[in-house]
Amino acid sequence: MLETAAERRRALTGGAIGLAAIALFVGLAAVSLFFAGGSAAILGIVLDPYILRVLRFTMLQALLSTALSIAFAIPVARALARQPHFAGRVWIVRLMAVPMGLPVLIAALGLIGIWGRQGMLNSLLMKVGLDEPVSIYGLTGILLAHIFFNLPLACRLMLAGLERVPAEYWLMASGLGMRSGSVFQFVEWPAIRQLIPGIAGLIFMLCATSFTLVLILGGGPAATTIEVAIYQSLRFDFDPGRAIALSLLQIALTAMILGAMAFIPRIGDEGLTEGRSIKRLDGKSPRARLADGLLLLIAVLFLGLPLVSIIAAGLDADLIKLLQEPIFWQSAGMSFAISLSAALFSIVLSMAMIRARHAIVSKRRRDVADRIFFSAMGGASSMVLLVPPIVLATGWFMALRAFGDATRFAALLVVLINMLMALPFVMRVLEPAYLVHQRRTQKLAASLGITSLARLRFIDWPALKKPLLTALSFAMALSLGDLGAVALFGSEGFVTLPWLIYSRMGSYRTNDADGLALILGIICLLLTIAGTAGEPRRENGDGER
């Protein structure tokens, strides 16, 4: 037993406090919705035609976005897997990581720059005689935006699955002279098929809880999701009853999706392998190289052109004038304070629960209460998936109305909501690093009698500094680009950079919005680079993952 009773007790107490804080914050928001709405809100869900129409559109766009993202990701992942050595492959894989780390608001501006009424693609198509062939607003725009974000995610996950296929499979396929169709049917499709349920569930959840993209690209009442309808009900119509009904519906919807995802089977083992290097021969023919090259070129253009549009439009703005405006520095200061506070709170809360989970694992005997406590702390980190940010904001808005103007508490609420948004990522970065560190140093530290602050200074901090800074930078980038938690409380006295960009878009000052988006994008990119600086490059013959 390496931990003393006092150390284990402190760790468990810290985990219990963290778990209670999350449960209290989320629980009070949910309870306030139920008590504010009561049976009338629940009945309204069933009887209100508007709410049912919003529900249908939410499910429709999420289903279509998921199906299209997966359908397009399969051939792109196959092309990357079949061509492991061509020049630029590493950069294509890296390009697919950019949309996942890009603030949604900035990406939406980039998509408008390509697919909008005056966008690059539409302008080109109109020159050949077509009259605005693509509309970025409404269902079409929402689908395009969701594919832009989710196709790279699905593609990277599928590519990883294809690269796990044992080399002996490819050797046998080559020996049997299998053509491309047979290789896909008997080798690639079985590897991809087992990944699709998990990928589809994740993408469907992301699309069903989409807020910023639908807020910007939705085509009015006919293209509104539940979360956007909640925002509109409070911000524009001030209809608390409808907002409560929609919030309860959103909680029920996310609970059903998470419940369905729990039944997705785990990925099985590919079987025994001798660990040979993978050599694929099915992509060597000139025809296969040409087909894969064209497909990857289309994917690069689809993902890269909006990024180029963001840079070009931002540089076209008067950046010097924007930097001289007091409102810019006010919003930048507010965004920095919120993101730093949310990231630090998230790290402290994560470490408290990680230490408690480790204390439970290190016990010689674990009873039912220990297992429940362990699972509860793991599930609490993903609580924001069950109760999305706009629903949390609505619940607290309703709860704080009794104390007067709820916007007085806006900054604190946004910090706490952003903390919960970052918690799943921070936990996944820190927990593996902490467990490895404990396995390597716990016995030595115990034998030398190094505890408390001395252990933190000389043992824990040097080893955990890198994952802590990684978690901090990514959590700050996530919070800096968030509009969902701010949208309900944004005002002249409470302005963040995303809210300022959205306000400039709403007042048709798109040139300013483009410039501000470029500045915000650069800040988030620098934070992302800072978080990954110094990481070892993991490359093999098949490229980088």
Side-chain angles (χ1 to χ4, degrees):
M1 188 178 298
L2 301 176
E3 283 187 326
T4 65
E7 288 176 332
R8 183 177 292 108
R9 187 166 54 250
R10 286 196 296 269
L12 294 175
T13 301
I17 293 174
L19 181 61
I22 295 174
L24 185 65
F25 184 73
V26 177
L28 285 177
V31 168
S32 69
L33 289 172
F34 279 103
F35 276 95
S39 58
I42 298 173
L43 187 62
I45 294 175
V46 180
L47 299 180
D48 191 332
Y50 170 77
I51 292 180
L52 295 178
R53 186 169 65 251
V54 168
L55 175 61
R56 283 195 298 270
F57 181 81
T58 301
M59 300 295 288
L60 174 65
Q61 62 85 23
L63 183 62
L64 291 175
S65 297
T66 302
L68 292 172
S69 297
I70 290 176
F72 293 144
I74 291 175
V76 176
R78 284 189 69 214
L80 284 170
R82 292 206 306 177
Q83 309 296 335
H85 302 298
F86 73 89
R89 180 183 187 274
V90 169
W91 293 104
I92 294 177
V93 176
R94 288 174 176 169
L95 174 64
M96 291 188 175
V98 174
M100 292 184 280
L102 192 69
V104 176
L105 180 62
I106 298 176
L109 286 172
L111 290 167
I112 292 173
I114 299 300
W115 302 94
R117 292 185 178 91
Q118 305 299 324
M120 183 188 304
L121 184 62
N122 272 348
S123 298
L124 181 63
L125 293 176
M126 281 189 284
K127 287 182 180 180
V128 299
L130 297 176
D131 185 16
E132 194 183 344
V134 179
S135 174
I136 190 62
Y137 299 102
L139 179 60
T140 303
I142 293 170
L143 295 179
L144 277 171
H146 282 158
I147 294 170
F148 174 81
F149 277 100
N150 296 317
L151 183 148
L153 172 63
C155 185
R156 286 171 67 94
L157 293 174
M158 291 178 187
L159 178 61
L162 289 172
E163 291 178 343
R164 287 194 298 267
V165 173
E168 289 78 8
Y169 286 30
W170 305 115
L171 182 63
M172 182 178 294
S174 175
L176 294 174
M178 287 186 179
R179 296 182 179 273
S180 177
S182 298
V183 171
F184 176 73
Q185 181 181 356
F186 295 108
V187 182
E188 293 176 315
W189 175 244
I192 294 174
R193 181 180 57 198
Q194 63 179 343
L195 299 172
I196 287 179
I199 297 173
L202 176 60
I203 294 177
F204 190 89
M205 169 65 80
L206 294 173
C207 295
T209 56
S210 179
F211 174 75
T212 304
L213 284 176
V214 182
L215 180 65
I216 295 173
L217 303 178
T224 299
T225 58
I226 296 174
E227 293 203 8
V228 173
I230 294 171
Y231 165 76
Q232 292 171 342
S233 296
L234 288 178
R235 188 82 187 185
F236 299 120
D237 304 330
F238 197 72
D239 188 346
R242 175 173 289 177
I244 292 167
L246 289 163
S247 299
L248 296 176
L249 180 60
Q250 183 68 67
I251 294 174
L253 177 62
T254 52
M256 287 189 292
I257 298 172
L258 290 173
M261 291 176 64
F263 290 98
I264 295 175
R266 293 181 179 274
I267 298 173
D269 188 9
E270 290 84 357
L272 296 175
T273 176
E274 295 180 6
R276 299 179 182 180
S277 61
I278 295 176
K279 293 182 180 179
R280 296 190 58 168
L281 302 178
D282 56 316
K284 299 296 185 181
S285 68
R287 181 179 178 182
R289 289 178 183 272
L290 178 61
D292 291 340
L294 289 175
L295 188 61
L296 292 175
L297 177 61
I298 293 172
V300 168
L301 291 175
F302 179 73
L303 298 175
L305 285 178
L307 304 180
V308 174
S309 173
I310 293 168
I311 297 172
L315 293 176
D316 190 50
D318 191 346
L319 297 178
I320 301 300
K321 180 182 76 69
L322 291 174
L323 292 174
Q324 292 175 343
E325 293 182 1
I327 188 63
F328 168 78
W329 293 105
Q330 177 188 342
S331 61
M334 181 65 73
S335 291
F336 180 79
I338 289 174
S339 62
L340 180 61
S341 301
L344 290 174
F345 285 156
S346 184
I347 288 174
V348 170
L349 191 57
S350 295
M351 287 303 301
M353 293 194 293
I354 289 169
R355 290 186 68 241
R357 282 164 62 87
H358 178 261
I360 293 173
V361 170
S362 63
K363 292 175 69 173
R364 292 179 179 177
R365 294 181 179 179
R366 296 186 291 273
D367 54 23
V368 176
D370 288 330
R371 289 193 290 269
I372 293 174
F373 188 29
F374 182 89
S375 299
M377 285 186 289
S381 66
S382 300
M383 188 65 73
V384 72
L385 295 176
L386 178 62
V387 188
I390 192 67
V391 177
L392 280 173
T394 303
W396 277 101
F397 179 86
M398 302 305 300
L400 294 173
R401 287 177 65 201
F403 301 95
D405 186 7
T407 58
R408 291 183 300 161
F409 308 95
L412 177 60
L413 286 176
V414 171
V415 166
L416 295 177
I417 292 172
N418 283 343
M419 175 195 72
L420 285 180
M421 288 173 55
L423 200 60
F425 171 81
V426 173
M427 285 280 288
R428 283 162 178 76
V429 170
L430 294 183
E431 188 163 27
Y434 181 83
L435 294 179
V436 170
H437 169 65
Q438 288 297 319
R439 284 197 297 268
R440 292 175 176 174
T441 64
Q442 196 171 29
K443 290 182 179 180
L444 180 60
S447 65
L448 295 176
I450 303 176
T451 59
S452 302
L453 293 178
R455 176 184 171 92
L456 176 64
R457 179 182 177 185
F458 296 108
I459 299 178
D460 294 338
W461 173 247
L464 296 177
K465 176 174 64 175
K466 176 58 187 174
L468 283 169
L469 292 178
T470 298
L472 178 70
S473 62
F474 277 100
M476 286 186 65
L478 179 66
S479 180
L480 273 173
D482 173 60
L483 178 64
V486 179
L488 209 58
F489 300 104
S491 62
E492 292 184 1
F494 180 66
V495 182
T496 63
L497 277 176
W499 179 251
L500 180 61
I501 295 171
Y502 180 66
S503 300
R504 295 290 170 91
M505 291 176 64
S507 58
Y508 299 101
R509 297 169 65 180
T510 54
N511 201 32
D512 287 355
D514 291 332
L516 293 168
L518 178 62
I519 295 171
L520 178 58
I522 291 173
I523 294 172
C524 292
L525 179 62
L526 291 176
L527 283 170
T528 303
I529 293 173
T532 56
E535 286 188 353
R537 293 178 61 186
R538 296 182 294 172
E539 297 186 7
N540 52 33
D542 304 313
E544 180 180 287
R545 277 195 292 182

